[in-house]
Amino acid sequence: MQSASQSVLRSPTPFHLQVMIELPATFSDDLRTKYDTALKDHHLVFNGDSAVHETIESKLEDADMTFHLTELKSLEKRPENGSISDNPFAKPEPELTLLTDYGVNGEFKLVLNKFPVVPYHFMLITNDFVSQNTPLSPKELLATYKILQVLEEGGGDENWFAFYNCGPMSGASQPHKHIQFMSLPEGYTPFTELLARSSDPFIPDQTKEPLQNSHLPFAHFLARLPLNPRETTEEILAMTFVALLQRTLSVLRAHDAEHISYNFCATTKYMMLVPRSKSKHDSLGVNSCGMMGLVLCKNEAVVTMVKLTGFENILKDVGYPNTSGKALDEYCY
Ligand code: AMP
Ligand code: AMP
């Protein structure tokens, strides 16, 4: 397991190269135009119109937690898992491709999600095949941050977040490396945002503990990013990711996990990692969106099950028990 945390610590990109990673200022407008055209010409399938949304409250000890539930019957028609030989990201459709040769070395593409549940959902995909089981590299973290920044500056009302489902139990369906960008439901504030607001920016060294809401039953490690975007360098992003990955690997090791699986969620304000034990609770698949408190149900029976069980207990079942209050050396990797 050590190689996973070590391989992420590659040398930082020299400053003069970072300017090549700036997206055009028109990116948000280009994204809307490309999506609207692809939708009109039936190159993508949006079924969100038939979705029923609901806010659900969980009563926790000393705290309430709000989750956002979406019931979407057309989900049952989404494609099955991809494979290396049958890989839709090897040659993404031009009608869905927003940008080719993006990144410091032109190593990424930006591609619209063909089966979005939320409009304008898109992905950063590596040009060459890279496994979805690998940790995010400093360049991938910087590209993710830059994309989130330009989306925020794009002037829309959306609250964007990025996510990465890493490893076999993370809820990913495609093996080719992809980081996704989606907006939160209007008016919904995830627990992650509240947790990030409760603290000063994280200092990534061995002595500092990331944030974890002790009222939630599952392990999650969150770090607030610097308040000044200029301080959010590739190096800070990489060091923060490694600090969170270290806690994540410690939890996996403490539970004798035979795989490295976790969810990564980020905005321009914070980054969070959540170790995963399994990809599903009964028939309910959970990925990083679930860790942002978004519950996506295929039918009424699943909705009922989620309400009876409590979504926070489902997240514990697909993750691991909360470790807050434990000293790092009790579970340190
Ligand atoms: P995940 O399930 O988290 O691994 O994300 C993979 C995403 O790729 C899913 O949300 C699918 O909707 C999306 N997808 C599947 N096939 C294609 C395709 N041919 N082009 C673009 N996106 C796709
Ligand atoms: P599956 O059940 O395998 O199709 O996976 C659906 C996944 O999407 C679940 O793991 C959810 O965590 C996640 N999800 C939840 N809400 C949303 C949403 N609004 N849009 C896209 N995915 C979501």
Side-chain angles (χ1 to χ4, degrees):
M1 287 216 274
Q2 199 154 9
S3 62
S5 70
Q6 281 178 340
S7 67
V8 82
L9 275 175
R10 290 193 228 132
S11 57
T13 306
F15 179 75
H16 71 279
L17 286 180
Q18 293 191 8
V19 290
M20 292 167 67
I21 205 164
E22 302 297 342
L23 283 163
T26 55
F27 179 73
S28 292
D29 292 337
D30 299 344
L31 167 65
R32 279 170 224 283
T33 307
K34 190 85 184 179
Y35 176 91
D36 293 342
T37 307
L39 180 64
K40 180 170 67 64
D41 297 341
H42 306 289
H43 290 292
L44 60 76
V45 186
F46 174 70
N47 287 306
D49 284 338
S50 63
V52 179
H53 298 273
E54 193 182 343
T55 297
I56 48 172
E57 299 275 344
S58 274
K59 294 252 170 266
L60 307 179
E61 228 176 279
D62 299 327
D64 290 347
M65 195 59 61
T66 306
F67 300 112
H68 183 96
L69 193 145
T70 304
E71 186 183 348
L72 188 59
K73 299 215 165 75
S74 52
L75 252 193
E76 282 167 342
K77 299 189 202 108
R78 284 217 297 192
E80 291 302 311
N81 290 357
S83 63
I84 296 175
S85 58
D86 182 14
N87 172 11
F89 299 163
K91 272 193 164 188
E93 293 167 44
E95 293 82 0
L96 299 179
T97 304
L98 295 158
L99 218 55
T100 53
D101 303 328
Y102 170 63
V104 170
N105 301 313
E107 65 272 55
F108 307 122
K109 286 186 185 68
L110 297 183
V111 178
L112 289 167
N113 190 312
K114 191 172 177 65
F115 307 97
V117 174
V118 175
Y120 309 116
H121 181 168
F122 69 96
M123 298 168 288
L124 176 140
I125 297 174
T126 54
N127 282 337
D128 297 331
F129 181 85
V130 179
S131 167
Q132 187 76 3
N133 297 343
T134 57
L136 293 175
S137 69
K139 285 189 178 61
E140 289 160 353
L141 288 164
L142 182 66
T144 300
Y145 183 76
K146 291 284 174 193
I147 292 167
L148 288 168
Q149 238 183 349
V150 92
L151 290 167
E152 210 169 86
E153 288 159 6
D157 297 332
E158 293 99 344
N159 276 324
W160 286 93
F161 70 101
F163 62 98
Y164 178 59
N165 303 316
C166 184
M169 297 299 152
S170 66
S173 65
Q174 298 295 337
H176 185 138
K177 199 165 196 180
H178 55 289
I179 301 160
Q180 310 191 49
F181 298 83
M182 208 175 89
S183 57
L184 289 166
E186 208 183 322
Y188 171 68
T189 307
F191 78 89
T192 47
E193 173 76 34
L194 301 173
L195 188 57
R197 280 185 210 157
S198 71
S199 144
D200 289 332
F202 181 68
I203 299 163
D205 70 28
Q206 286 289 336
T207 61
K208 301 288 182 308
E209 269 305 294
L211 298 168
Q212 195 170 180
N213 183 330
S214 60
H215 300 298
L216 287 169
F218 60 97
H220 54 283
F221 302 105
L222 187 142
R224 187 167 187 179
L225 294 172
L227 301 180
N228 181 349
R230 278 196 214 151
E231 288 171 22
T232 311
T233 58
E234 181 175 323
E235 197 179 0
I236 284 288
L237 290 166
M239 285 167 67
T240 304
F241 181 80
V242 167
L244 301 181
L245 184 60
Q246 187 195 26
R247 269 68 175 190
T248 299
L249 294 175
S250 298
V251 169
L252 292 171
R253 192 183 66 160
H255 292 271
D256 295 326
E258 286 170 358
H259 54 85
I260 297 177
S261 300
Y262 55 89
N263 294 123
F264 163 91
C265 304
T267 70
T268 52
K269 296 198 197 96
Y270 60 86
M271 190 192 283
M272 176 177 75
L273 260 69
V274 182
R276 292 293 301 271
S277 58
K278 48 177 144 159
S279 62
K280 287 185 171 186
H281 174 86
D282 293 341
S283 67
L284 177 70
V286 178
N287 65 18
S288 302
C289 298
M291 299 305 163
M292 293 293 279
L294 306 179
V295 198
L296 190 61
C297 300
K298 295 176 185 182
N299 57 49
E300 228 172 287
V302 181
V303 173
T304 307
M305 181 279 288
V306 170
K307 288 182 182 171
L308 284 174
T309 313
F311 192 52
E312 70 283 3
N313 297 319
I314 292 175
L315 295 183
K316 182 182 177 191
D317 181 49
V318 299
Y320 291 97
N322 193 302
T323 64
S324 60
K326 285 195 182 175
L328 185 58
D329 57 4
E330 283 179 57
Y331 68 101
C332 184
Y333 184 57

